[in-house]
Amino acid sequence: MKKISLLFALITCQLMAFAQIHTQSPLPYAYDALEPFFDKQTMEIHFDKHHKTYISNLNNAVKGTPYEFTPVQLLVNEISKYPMVVRNNAGGHWNHTFFWQILTSHDKTGAPSEALLKAINETFGTLEDFKLKFVDASTKRFGSGWAWLIVKDGKLVITTTPNQDNPLMDIAEEKGSPILALDVWEHAYYLKYQNKRADFAKAFFEIINWEEVSKKYELALKK
Ligand code: MN3
């Protein structure tokens, strides 16, 4: 009995030594679920290589620091306190985790909730006008970055951030609660769309999980 519990303790210690603080949740759909808009190979590389690398770089960057066990959300909120390597990789981890959630296969996109659609219409004209403005913002972000729909003081705002920054970061020029995001790094689209970022951004509108975005909208209004 003693031997068994010793063995158990040993295994637990081993597991703890290997346990990563920041981990990747499984993709909520298959790699090919977003075809033909986001292709399977891009999704595999994006989720399994790019996102995973941000997580392992983040784990390496926080190891042995006073913020080793700080949740990614808290790192992001006060990102100015941390070194650039944490900013890039905590941002990369948070942003991709968010991005996977607001996508779904074309036959499951649904529609914005009544409240969200009303806000979109009041702010941008129509859903189609919003799409055009969002695509336009996506193409105007120079280099790598993200396009966002955020709730700021109860209002919808389209904004973009460079690199892996996001609107929750204390350093963001335009702060707010994200409810929709598009990764406009070339790694997100180059295999299928090459230099045509606008086509990629338009395709994105075919696979938005409006139910999830509407939920995020409700939550953001309560903040
Ligand atoms: Mn990416």
Side-chain angles (χ1 to χ4, degrees):
M1 196 65 195
K2 212 174 175 186
K3 250 185 189 167
I4 291 171
S5 51
L6 192 70
L7 189 70
F8 186 73
L10 205 71
I11 291 169
T12 310
C13 279
Q14 291 273 323
L15 283 175
M16 280 172 74
F18 284 108
Q20 298 286 292
I21 302 308
H22 300 284
T23 56
Q24 191 175 35
S25 300
L27 197 64
Y29 33 75
Y31 289 122
D32 62 358
L34 311 180
E35 290 269 10
F37 306 99
F38 287 8
D39 63 288
K40 183 184 177 193
Q41 195 187 4
T42 299
M43 285 301 293
E44 279 173 347
I45 298 169
H46 203 173
F47 180 80
D48 222 33
K49 302 279 188 274
H50 290 278
H51 185 187
K52 211 161 259 178
T53 302
Y54 292 117
I55 297 168
S56 63
N57 288 346
L58 177 60
N59 281 320
N60 291 335
V62 299
K63 203 170 181 162
T65 68
Y67 45 90
E68 180 167 358
F69 300 101
T70 305
V72 66
Q73 182 68 69
L74 298 182
L75 292 175
V76 162
N77 290 345
E78 300 187 319
I79 207 71
S80 63
K81 285 184 176 176
Y82 305 105
M84 191 53 91
V85 62
V86 173
R87 176 165 160 186
N88 288 337
N89 292 292
H93 180 27
W94 194 96
N95 294 352
H96 287 87
T97 303
F98 181 94
F99 188 44
W100 311 133
Q101 289 171 6
I102 56 93
L103 297 170
T104 192
S105 57
H106 183 63
D107 59 337
K108 296 196 179 106
T109 53
S113 67
E114 213 174 296
L116 177 57
L117 187 62
K118 187 166 175 272
I120 287 173
N121 290 342
E122 281 172 7
T123 313
F124 306 108
T126 64
L127 189 57
E128 187 59 25
D129 292 327
F130 163 64
K131 176 181 165 180
L132 294 175
K133 282 170 184 158
F134 191 89
V135 169
D136 186 52
S138 304
T139 56
K140 284 183 178 150
R141 164 49 57 189
F142 183 77
S144 299
W146 290 76
W148 305 91
L149 179 64
I150 61 170
V151 175
K152 181 185 183 180
D153 304 323
K155 303 272 182 225
L156 293 177
V157 179
I158 295 170
T159 185
T160 69
T161 53
N163 306 315
Q164 293 296 352
D165 289 357
N166 71 46
L168 292 169
M169 290 181 172
D170 55 358
I171 46 85
E173 277 178 40
E174 185 105 77
K175 292 182 197 63
S177 304
I179 64 167
L180 183 73
L182 179 61
D183 186 343
V184 298
W185 283 57
E186 280 189 349
H187 69 230
Y189 62 88
Y190 205 83
L191 282 179
K192 188 174 171 77
Y193 295 95
Q194 292 84 45
N195 59 321
K196 299 182 282 284
R197 191 191 280 184
D199 289 353
F200 162 70
K202 282 179 206 155
F204 163 68
F205 274 80
E206 301 296 326
I207 47 171
I208 292 175
N209 184 344
W210 281 112
E211 196 186 320
E212 188 61 34
V213 176
S214 300
K215 262 189 227 162
K216 291 186 189 299
Y217 176 63
E218 295 301 315
L219 285 173
L221 285 180
K222 286 176 193 151
K223 274 179 196 162

